[in-house]
Amino acid sequence: MNAPTSAIESVLVENRVFPPSEAIQKAARVSGMAGYEALCAEAEKDYEGYWARLARENVVWSKPFTQVLDESNAPFYRWFADGELNASANCLDKHMGTATEHKTAIIFEADDGQVTKVSYRELLERVAQFANGLKAQGVKKGDRVLIYMPMTIEGVVAMQACARIGATHSVVFGGFSAKAVQERIVDVGASAVITANFQMRGGKELPLKAIVDDALQMGGCEGVKHVFVYERTASAYSKVAGRDMSFAELLAGQSTECLPVAVEAEHPLFILYTSGSTGKPKGVQHSTGGYMLWAKQTVEWTFDMQPSDVFWCTADIGWITGHTYVAYGPLAAGATQIVFEGVPTFPHAGRFWEMIERHGCTVFYTAPTAIRSLIKASETDEKVHPKNWNLSSLRILGSVGEPINPEAWMWYYRNVGAERCPIVDTFWQTENGGHMITPLPGATPLVPGSCTLPLPGIMAAIVDETGNDMPNGAGGMLVVKRPWPSMIRNIWGDPERFKKSYFPEELGGKTYLAGDGAVRSEDRGYFRITGRIDDVLNVSGHRMGTMEIESALVSKTDLVAEAAVVGRPDDLTGEAICAFVVLKRPLPSDPEEAKALANELRNWVAKEIGPIAKPKDIRFGENLPKTRSGKIMRRLLRSIAKGEAITQDTSTLENPAILEQLGKTH
Ligand code: PRX
């Protein structure tokens, strides 16, 4: 066999296996493959009984449930529907009077390195006070609150406070634009916004409140009655009288006690927007009961969380990983966790390793893009290589958000984990609520680049277009054959799209379609994700729809006549955005002019969606390659983007000269 030439090929020939060490296996919550298989067998034998047991063990119910799964209105599944609970009480109140009460809940490290710690008791008091503040302003159960906050203790407090009073939060990542914020405010029908005056990233002070102001001026946001502002920095910001209020004003005189509001298990805890294959982002609606069950259980299983662990998930609260593995799961499990405000490369690219040493981090969970960029940094600067820090506290490593190439996996394993720490490559999605396919550190033999096996109770499979199971070794579409408690409940306000996107008729209308391709290995049946099968891109672990970026480009009506966006592989970001653009003016003949136009378009996209959506490559042509029926030949564009030789039939092209034009990147 030829030596592997690309990440994909090297995955195909991957045959290294790393079984768990005796020591880890012995002490683990799920011990050995026998432990894993016993749980799978339990779920297989009595599916509802299995989930009911986990729901009773992992969740504190204020009113116990008597029904488990209600499939009567599939695919609008309901779990534990007559039970009641409060998510915040499940993260905080339940620890009071236990050994966890005075344990550190959050070790916060600010961008500038300043460290603040809060105990579970202190966190409860802050959440309760914040909840009282919200209540005093009229925010109540069922209201939607948009949160646009930096990674801070206050961000977690805001989410928990909403949960405490039964308000549904919708967190928007602080890198999204005013337009994106406005669209989400309108779609979710928010009555309040929680934000900060500024955020600190990499030593820079970046505005948040000013972006909210812009968003609110764009129209359709009349429902927003309040904007609550965390004064993260001393810098001034503009305040609208009667609408805007600082945290200090909101909290003044409020008690630090607040009874949690019991909500039905199906009450929407949050709505989180994510990209789909059509233009508009989808408001993924999650439940309270099923979600909390899996948030806690997966923290305990996947990370084998023990009372002495110091957990660190580097994801922002604006993404699902930051919801489940920062704001809810670790707290429900009573863990001590690190919350980091800044970026991995400031003030130097050894910041992660320095922080692991400083705080004695034991379980570290990050994204392949971060690992790849830190590998690159340490190759050019020895001083930021992990070997310069004492990482002996680490016992488990995790990866999330995109496929991890075996080269990055091996580097992480050797240089960060000292060949001692298992790596859990966790596959899941915004819609899943928590981990789906992942190794268990004390059970699963690891294969670099493979997310291995589904968690017990997750009935994942690989099928063809008509739903037939594919044999091991043959690729197909990843599906989940049975509903599970933490799954998406609806697309906010768009049940038809929910059904169409996730439960297509071709598969019988009840099977969850993940939107990813996957293949199982012939020897172990391990899953390997081969990438999205729809028009969704994954850039640095951030999910983006090609159509979303196309709509942003064509909305620059003075310049752009037509646009098509595809992904191409990128060594650092996994995938890179490549935009093909037809201008409303002649093709720029001067390369400098082309570059200036390309930059103008990049900045436009940043303004429309956010900097993460800026196309890396922009290519101009007099038109786009189309079939006779007028459909854009996307496969051809993907080949051009990759710089591949064109093997497709191009005889139908009216103007073959465009292939050369589109070959040039600006
Ligand atoms: O393509 C898969 C990829 O990320 C997508 C989900 O993105 P999002 O909803 O933003 O959630 C990311 C964090 C949970 C999936 O459809 N993906 C996620 N994790 C992995 C992955 N691809 C391969 N391996 C993973 N471990």
Side-chain angles (χ1 to χ4, degrees), residues 520-563:
R520 301 185 72 158
S521 66
E522 298 201 46
D523 50 351
R524 295 171 181 271
Y526 276 10
F527 286 73
R528 183 167 56 78
I529 307 300
T530 51
R532 300 287 307 192
I533 52 172
D534 52 11
D535 293 319
V536 169
L537 305 182
N538 193 327
V539 182
S540 300
H542 297 150
R543 203 166 134 177
M544 251 159 314
T546 53
M547 299 239 236
E548 219 177 319
I549 306 169
E550 285 166 12
S551 326
L553 284 166
V554 296
S555 72
K556 181 122 187 73
T557 48
D558 57 328
L559 205 56
V560 177
E562 210 178 356

Side-chain angles (χ1 to χ4, degrees), residues 248-568:
E249 291 165 308
L250 178 73
L251 301 177
Q254 294 298 341
S255 152
T256 54
E257 275 177 39
C258 169
L259 276 182
V261 173
V263 300
E264 316 77 63
E266 286 296 321
H267 180 72
L269 177 60
F270 64 88
I271 295 157
L272 182 60
Y273 285 83
T274 191
S275 296
S277 42
T278 55
K280 217 172 109 188
K282 313 187 257 202
V284 172
Q285 179 184 325
H286 276 286
S287 72
T288 303
Y291 174 81
M292 285 308 298
L293 145 61
W294 206 225
K296 173 168 175 288
Q297 185 67 87
T298 51
V299 163
E300 292 183 349
W301 279 351
T302 310
F303 301 120
D304 186 40
M305 200 65 68
Q306 305 286 346
S308 56
D309 274 316
V310 177
F311 177 62
W312 183 13
C313 166
T314 66
D316 193 281
I317 49 168
W319 309 114
I320 189 70
T321 309
H323 280 58
T324 310
Y325 300 107
V326 178
Y328 291 105
L331 298 175
T336 293
Q337 68 170 324
I338 299 167
V339 170
F340 176 44
E341 178 181 39
V343 296
T345 48
F346 176 82
H348 57 77
R351 179 80 182 258
F352 276 1
W353 324 130
E354 185 180 278
M355 283 180 60
I356 289 171
E357 178 184 304
R358 176 154 51 241
H359 302 299
C361 172
T362 60
V363 182
F364 180 63
Y365 189 36
T366 196
T369 292
I371 297 164
R372 286 192 295 263
S373 76
L374 298 179
I375 295 175
K376 203 167 152 204
S378 67
E379 276 167 358
T380 48
D381 181 3
E382 278 256 308
K383 290 199 297 296
V384 298
H385 191 280
K387 69 183 175 201
N388 297 296
W389 286 274
N390 177 358
L391 305 182
S392 59
S393 58
L394 287 172
R395 62 182 205 94
I396 292 166
L397 301 174
S399 172
V400 59
E402 43 177 330
I404 178 163
N405 47 310
E407 292 75 11
W409 196 101
M410 285 308 304
W411 185 92
Y412 195 28
Y413 188 70
R414 290 203 177 111
N415 297 292
V416 183
E419 301 186 21
R420 188 173 36 78
C421 307
I423 298 178
V424 288
D425 174 3
T426 61
F427 168 84
W428 61 297
Q429 312 170 292
T430 305
E431 295 87 344
N432 304 154
H435 299 150
M436 298 294 279
I437 309 180
T438 176
L440 293 174
T444 322
L446 306 170
V447 171
S450 168
C451 52
T452 73
L453 296 168
L455 285 173
I458 302 299
M459 302 304 184
I462 299 177
V463 301
D464 66 13
E465 273 89 39
T466 46
N468 299 311
D469 284 305
M470 300 303 284
N472 288 355
M477 306 189 298
L478 180 66
V479 297
V480 187
K481 291 194 167 176
R482 303 243 31 210
W484 68 101
S486 69
M487 71 195 295
I488 177 175
R489 293 304 197 267
N490 204 347
I491 292 177
W492 183 254
D494 201 345
E496 278 311 307
R497 190 176 178 198
F498 168 76
K499 283 202 276 191
K500 245 175 78 187
S501 310
Y502 304 113
F503 300 93
E505 281 305 324
E506 301 77 33
L507 299 180
K510 289 184 178 181
T511 298
Y512 173 81
L513 178 70
D516 279 289
V519 58
R520 301 185 72 158
S521 66
E522 298 201 46
D523 50 351
R524 295 171 181 271
Y526 276 10
F527 286 73
R528 183 167 56 78
I529 307 300
T530 51
R532 300 287 307 192
I533 52 172
D534 52 11
D535 293 319
V536 169
L537 305 182
N538 193 327
V539 182
S540 300
H542 297 150
R543 203 166 134 177
M544 251 159 314
T546 53
M547 299 239 236
E548 219 177 319
I549 306 169
E550 285 166 12
S551 326
L553 284 166
V554 296
S555 72
K556 181 122 187 73
T557 48
D558 57 328
L559 205 56
V560 177
E562 210 178 356
V565 168
V566 299
R568 66 158 172 80

Side-chain angles (χ1 to χ4, degrees), residues 141-195:
K141 181 181 170 198
D143 288 354
R144 273 86 57 208
V145 176
L146 189 117
I147 298 181
Y148 189 59
M149 286 282 281
M151 274 300 280
T152 45
I153 297 174
E154 286 72 11
V156 176
V157 168
M159 293 166 79
Q160 286 278 341
C162 288
R164 195 162 188 87
I165 60 173
T168 300
H169 60 67
S170 186
V171 185
V172 178
F173 173 59
F176 276 114
S177 68
K179 177 89 184 303
V181 172
Q182 179 251 2
E183 281 169 2
R184 286 156 177 74
I185 287 175
V186 173
D187 192 79
V188 88
S191 62
V193 175
I194 305 176
T195 188

Side-chain angles (χ1 to χ4, degrees), residues 4-212:
T5 53
S6 71
I8 299 290
E9 277 180 53
S10 67
V11 169
L12 289 175
V13 299
E14 185 57 64
N15 51 17
R16 288 167 286 202
V17 180
F18 300 85
S21 71
E22 276 290 312
I24 288 191
Q25 182 167 330
K26 233 164 94 193
R29 285 177 184 266
V30 181
S31 178
M33 284 308 275
Y36 167 76
E37 280 155 12
L39 287 163
C40 292
E42 183 190 345
E44 200 64 65
K45 195 163 149 246
D46 176 9
Y47 195 67
E48 290 193 26
Y50 166 79
W51 286 115
R53 175 176 75 77
L54 296 189
R56 289 192 186 102
E57 287 174 8
N58 286 288
V59 177
V60 179
W61 297 92
S62 31
K63 176 172 169 249
F65 59 89
T66 61
Q67 306 156 7
V68 182
L69 169 62
D70 175 1
E71 301 186 78
S72 60
N73 190 25
F76 299 92
Y77 299 104
R78 289 155 60 83
W79 284 91
F80 321 117
D82 63 343
E84 287 181 9
L85 75 159
N86 179 277
S88 157
N90 268 276
C91 293
L92 302 169
D93 305 57
K94 78 162 185 213
H95 300 304
M96 298 307 113
T98 75
T100 311
E101 175 169 353
H102 300 292
K103 181 179 172 176
T104 300
I106 296 178
I107 303 171
F108 173 68
E109 182 161 321
D111 190 57
D112 66 2
Q114 203 178 330
V115 174
T116 318
K117 295 184 184 179
V118 287
S119 70
Y120 272 89
R121 156 64 59 190
E122 289 160 344
L123 190 61
L124 169 62
E125 288 176 359
R126 285 175 65 167
V127 168
Q129 192 179 31
F130 203 100
N132 282 330
L134 291 177
K135 272 203 303 200
Q137 296 306 316
V139 181
K140 57 184 187 314
K141 181 181 170 198
D143 288 354
R144 273 86 57 208
V145 176
L146 189 117
I147 298 181
Y148 189 59
M149 286 282 281
M151 274 300 280
T152 45
I153 297 174
E154 286 72 11
V156 176
V157 168
M159 293 166 79
Q160 286 278 341
C162 288
R164 195 162 188 87
I165 60 173
T168 300
H169 60 67
S170 186
V171 185
V172 178
F173 173 59
F176 276 114
S177 68
K179 177 89 184 303
V181 172
Q182 179 251 2
E183 281 169 2
R184 286 156 177 74
I185 287 175
V186 173
D187 192 79
V188 88
S191 62
V193 175
I194 305 176
T195 188
N197 60 342
F198 290 90
Q199 59 179 334
M200 294 303 303
R201 284 176 76 82
K204 288 195 209 96
E205 189 180 41
L206 306 170
L208 285 178
K209 170 65 166 56
I211 294 174
V212 171

